[in-house]
Amino acid sequence: RIQILFEGMGTNSLPTLQNLIRRDPISYKDDFKIQYEYLKSKLALFFVSPSAELNDEISEMIMFISHCIKCYPDYHEEFPKMLEDLIRKHNSILASEFRIMICKSLIILRNRELYQPVLLMKLFFELLSCPDKALRELLKMHIIADIKNINNKRQNNKMNRAIQVFIQTMLYKASPVAAKIALEIMIELYKKHIWNDAKTVNIIADGCLSTNNKILCTALKFFLANEPKRDDDDESDDDDDKDELAEREKKMSAMLRTAGVTKKSRNKMKKLERAKLILRKDKKKKKAAEGSFLAVHLLNDPQSFSEKLFKQLGRLNEKFEIKLMVMQLIARVIGVHQLFLFNFYPYLQKYVSVFVLQNTCQFSYDPL
């Protein structure tokens, strides 16, 4: 067994120790404990007298412990809580690189199931208010990827509801920057067909009633996104795709029947697995295409929503382009759900001119 001396608790030997711990965790438990206690004492001093002077040595030790702690269950609860307290209470005085390093360490713990995903999500959503653009970008990418992985095989409705409720409170209580990023995360998840339910759409609809300009525009652009126009060629292509998918399903059934009867070989099994993979991808594309309809269809109370939007329009002191987007959304909701909003039509009359006629008149149902 290689003996490692930690003179002055330096970090030069940490990669070597990390490699040895992976090979033989029991033999190097005392060495790990020395490093852990040293880090704990350093952070205890920092909590007593906070300052920005946490050097690279501490950063390397945090990453080292994050990679090795899975081998030692005694520290599974204490270490994540220690990092959480550090970044939550003192993120404003820490250096940008140190904040990012702590978040990456927490992501490592989450990936190794040593930190609950809901707790990490809530912490990361809180950190979106931090004035650090690089950190916010990292948090946004991880939140989207983690929610996608959570719902990869099947929808985790319990966890989804917990995160959605937290995002909904952020739209009203968090800083405008954090609320806007939270809204962008929900929109991205909707576009990826991960969160394409009514709950998600109605939370985004709350953003249309925000008094913040950026949050308002982000939500409006989501609902006013141009839907692809369908013509006869598209419908014929869809029919061809359905026929092709049905044909592939028939071939797959035949291959499964023959696989149970004929002699198995490595080449036949590879072809069968490849055919299964292609069929799964085609079914996923078909499911995504069936779910791609207008988001306004999922509004819980379109009449109340359009009335609130029109009331907000009357007191909106923004650029004409933003007012025009609000009018377009009201028109779309009225057109899709065939509503009556009588005060809206006289309001449009002052805007009906050659310049804005094509933008404001977007009603498409029989009563008009």
Side-chain angles (χ1 to χ4, degrees):
R1 177 176 178 269
I2 301 175
Q3 296 293 330
I4 301 176
L5 298 177
F6 300 101
E7 297 180 0
M9 292 299 176
T11 59
N12 293 332
S13 56
L14 285 181
T16 306
L17 179 59
Q18 180 178 333
N19 187 32
L20 294 172
I21 287 175
R22 287 179 177 176
R23 295 180 183 180
D24 189 2
I26 299 175
S27 299
Y28 293 93
K29 184 176 182 180
D30 292 338
D31 295 324
F32 175 83
K33 184 178 180 181
I34 292 172
Q35 295 293 334
Y36 184 83
E37 293 298 331
Y38 177 69
L39 174 64
K40 189 176 176 181
S41 63
K42 281 283 189 180
L43 293 181
L45 290 174
F46 177 81
F47 284 129
V48 173
S49 178
S51 65
E53 298 178 358
L54 286 177
N55 53 25
D56 294 338
E57 177 191 14
I58 303 300
S59 300
E60 292 181 20
M61 291 186 70
I62 290 176
M63 290 301 294
F64 159 75
I65 293 174
S66 300
H67 284 287
C68 299
I69 200 171
K70 188 176 182 180
C71 302
Y72 306 105
D74 296 340
Y75 305 96
H76 285 182
E77 293 184 7
E78 184 182 32
F79 182 65
K81 187 70 170 61
M82 191 162 54
L83 293 183
E84 180 184 338
D85 292 340
L86 177 63
I87 190 70
R88 174 174 276 136
K89 296 177 181 178
H90 304 291
N91 65 81
S92 59
I93 63 173
L94 295 174
S96 175
E97 296 80 8
F98 202 85
R99 284 192 293 253
I100 293 174
M101 182 276 305
I102 294 175
C103 290
K104 287 182 177 179
S105 299
L106 289 170
I107 291 172
I108 292 172
L109 297 175
R110 156 70 185 103
N111 292 338
R112 297 183 178 183
E113 298 182 354
L114 302 178
Y115 193 50
Q116 294 183 17
V118 175
L119 295 178
L120 184 64
M121 292 281 181
K122 291 182 178 180
L123 175 63
F124 279 6
F125 275 117
E126 291 176 13
L127 292 177
L128 289 175
S129 303
C130 186
D132 188 343
K133 188 174 181 180
L135 177 67
R136 293 198 300 266
E137 191 63 30
L138 171 68
L139 301 180
K140 179 181 176 181
M141 290 174 60
H142 170 74
I143 291 171
I144 294 174
D146 200 19
I147 294 175
K148 181 179 179 182
N149 292 333
I150 290 171
N151 297 277
N152 190 19
K153 294 183 179 179
R154 61 186 180 85
Q155 287 285 323
N156 192 332
N157 294 322
K158 183 178 180 181
M159 191 172 297
N160 288 339
R161 282 195 296 271
I163 299 171
Q164 286 171 345
V165 169
F166 188 78
I167 294 177
Q168 193 170 17
T169 58
M170 284 190 63
L171 292 178
Y172 299 100
K173 296 181 180 180
S175 66
V177 175
K180 180 177 178 293
I181 297 175
L183 196 64
E184 290 173 350
I185 290 172
M186 296 208 75
I187 292 173
E188 187 67 24
L189 292 171
Y190 181 88
K191 290 179 179 179
K192 290 180 179 291
H193 300 283
I194 300 169
W195 281 0
N196 54 357
D197 55 344
K199 178 75 173 177
T200 303
V201 172
N202 284 277
I203 292 175
I204 299 173
D206 289 342
C208 296
L209 305 175
S210 174
T211 56
N212 183 271
N213 189 3
K214 293 184 178 180
I215 298 175
L216 173 63
C217 290
T218 302
L220 289 173
K221 288 176 182 178
F222 165 74
F223 283 105
L224 294 176
N226 292 325
E227 297 295 324
K229 295 182 179 179
R230 301 180 65 84
D231 50 23
D232 296 337
D233 294 335
D234 293 335
E235 292 178 359
S236 62
D237 291 340
D238 288 345
D239 294 336
D240 295 339
D241 292 339
K242 290 179 181 178
D243 294 339
E244 186 177 351
L245 182 60
E247 187 66 27
R248 284 181 180 173
E249 288 179 349
K250 288 181 181 179
K251 289 182 179 179
M252 175 59 68
S253 300
M255 290 177 69
L256 290 173
R257 285 196 299 271
T258 55
V261 177
T262 59
K263 184 179 179 181
K264 294 182 180 179
S265 66
R266 186 176 297 178
N267 191 26
K268 287 182 180 179
M269 295 304 294
K270 283 184 178 180
K271 286 183 179 179
L272 185 62
E273 291 299 325
R274 197 180 302 119
K276 286 181 179 179
L277 180 63
I278 293 173
L279 188 62
R280 280 199 298 268
K281 288 183 178 179
D282 289 341
K283 287 184 177 180
K284 187 177 287 187
K285 288 180 181 178
K286 180 183 177 183
K287 185 177 180 181
E290 289 174 353
S292 60
F293 50 86
L294 281 171
V296 291
H297 284 102
L298 297 176
L299 291 172
N300 288 336
D301 190 355
Q303 180 69 43
S304 176
F305 176 67
S306 59
E307 290 174 357
K308 290 178 181 178
L309 269 181
F310 180 64
K311 186 177 180 180
Q312 184 187 30
L313 182 63
R315 57 173 183 266
L316 199 63
N317 294 322
E318 300 292 344
K319 295 180 180 179
F320 176 71
E321 289 79 5
I322 298 177
K323 286 188 175 182
L324 193 59
M325 290 171 66
V326 177
M327 287 188 279
Q328 286 177 323
L329 180 55
I330 295 173
R332 174 166 290 187
V333 174
I334 291 174
V336 169
H337 293 278
Q338 298 189 3
L339 308 175
F340 289 97
L341 193 62
F342 296 106
N343 294 333
F344 181 56
Y345 312 125
Y347 182 86
L348 287 178
Q349 289 179 356
K350 59 182 177 181
Y351 294 108
V352 177
S353 64
V354 177
F355 178 69
V356 295
L357 182 62
Q358 58 180 351
N359 293 319
T360 55
C361 297
Q362 295 196 3
F363 305 103
S364 60
Y365 68 97
D366 295 336
L368 289 179

